[in-house]
Amino acid sequence: MIKVPFFDLHRQFQTLRTEILADLAQVCESQAFILGPKVAELEERIAVFTGTKFGIGTSSGTDAELLILMALGIGPGDAVITTPFTFFATASTIVRVGAKPLFVDIDPETFSLSVPKLEEFLKTECVANESGVRTRDGLNVRAVIPVHLFGLCSDLAELGRLCDEWKLTLVEDAAQALGALFPNGDRHVAAGSVGAAGFFSFYPTKNLGAFGDAGLVVTSDSDLAKKMQIMRNHGMDPKYYHEVIGGNFRMDALQAAVLSRKFGYLENWSKRRWSIAQRYQGELAGLRIGLPVEPYHESCGWRGHIYHQFVIRAPQRDQLRAVLNEQGVGTEIYYPLPLHQQRCFQNLGYRTGDFPVAEQTAKECLALPIFPELTDDEQALVILRIREFFAR
Ligand SMILES: Cc1ncc(COP(=O)(O)O)c(C=O)c1O
């Protein structure tokens, strides 16, 4: 039986083996492993790529978010609004700095934080005065963290407007959206560049993946950037003198070398993801499934959705997944349980039913294979098997 993997990193490595091993050898020869010129080079390239002034390389996407929250001084007594339909780290970092995540349901089509629901939440559950925005139970609402899930930007224009109106800090979880664009009049802005800060993850399975953990913050705020540069290194400035408490959130040079090399291929990889997505869109249309939306395609072209994942909605999701699995087609579920239903967050006081769209989405979503090295024949098989399932 021909098998189609959900994802396969070996293929990418085979094509880049010689270059990457040479880059890694160079770092080994230098024996300079932490931060340094390789990291600085990557920071510069990602800042330019996203139209921001500063890039700050970190040890992971999770640590990038933690660093932003710490540098913004968010902590006990504070609350941060985010989505319950995302990877765990989006909300766990809020708890880790001592603040409370406040969840707002998602839009059923884009899977992102719903702007109308956010507006309603602010109007009905929060009060604004000179000292800021407070919840009914007296928490200071400090920030909003939308997640550009699966490679599609959240509605950054409307989120920016609401954050300005309510004087909240916008922080973008762009972990899955490096290179995605959002329309801004007759121009575009890049994922991560609109908020006070944005962050990316270079977890190996991401569009741009390291050989281990790595992440990066972008910002155009020089004070915030300076704080983060210090705080990612234990708050140390100068050496062995600490005015603030930071952490060890540093990126290492081996990861930066891999990422800088792979970065040169990102555009081609994203284009290939786009063409795989278009074939799915064309050949799965008309079946009883929901296909991803591309709201920014007209103004941003293929960069309007970088298809970190191709996620469909299927009411018979579990059956479909089981049949595909029997037939050797790999799929994945992002994410099976919304965050407000996770056991570790039970003390936040949410209940099942609080976020019906997120809960329904978690039952229906299914990610299909989409990676640049997926062959046309493999994709044909995925499509055939799905069509057969719905023809039964
Ligand atoms: C939406 C989202 N936020 C945050 C993270 C955390 O990134 P990392 O795994 O690099 O810590 C990830 C990636 O796993 C993610 O997908």
Side-chain angles (χ1 to χ4, degrees), residues 59-65 86-90 147-149 173-176 199-203 205-206 213-215 308 335:
S59 33
S60 67
T62 306
D63 288 345
E65 184 179 348
T86 176
F87 179 61
F88 177 68
T90 311
V147 179
H148 307 324
L149 209 61
D173 181 338
Q176 303 185 6
F199 66 92
F200 304 102
S201 162
F202 303 126
Y203 185 77
T205 60
K206 293 288 192 276
D213 277 308
H308 174 65
Y335 297 92

Side-chain angles (χ1 to χ4, degrees), residues 287-308:
L287 302 180
R288 275 168 288 121
I289 54 177
L291 294 167
V293 292
E294 294 166 356
Y296 317 131
H297 174 50
E298 207 170 300
S299 34
C300 301
W302 61 266
R303 289 183 170 87
H305 197 325
I306 53 132
Y307 279 108
H308 174 65

Side-chain angles (χ1 to χ4, degrees), residues 364-384:
E364 292 182 350
C365 61
L366 188 66
L368 305 182
I370 187 163
F371 54 99
E373 301 79 15
L374 184 74
T375 67
D376 290 345
D377 287 349
E378 286 173 326
Q379 189 182 11
L381 198 63
V382 178
I383 292 165
L384 176 70

Side-chain angles (χ1 to χ4, degrees), residues 215-235:
L216 192 132
V217 178
V218 288
T219 182
S220 291
D221 177 333
S222 55
D223 292 339
L224 192 60
K226 177 94 181 123
K227 250 190 211 166
M228 290 191 282
Q229 275 150 358
I230 293 169
M231 288 180 94
R232 79 169 158 185
N233 193 14
H234 299 289

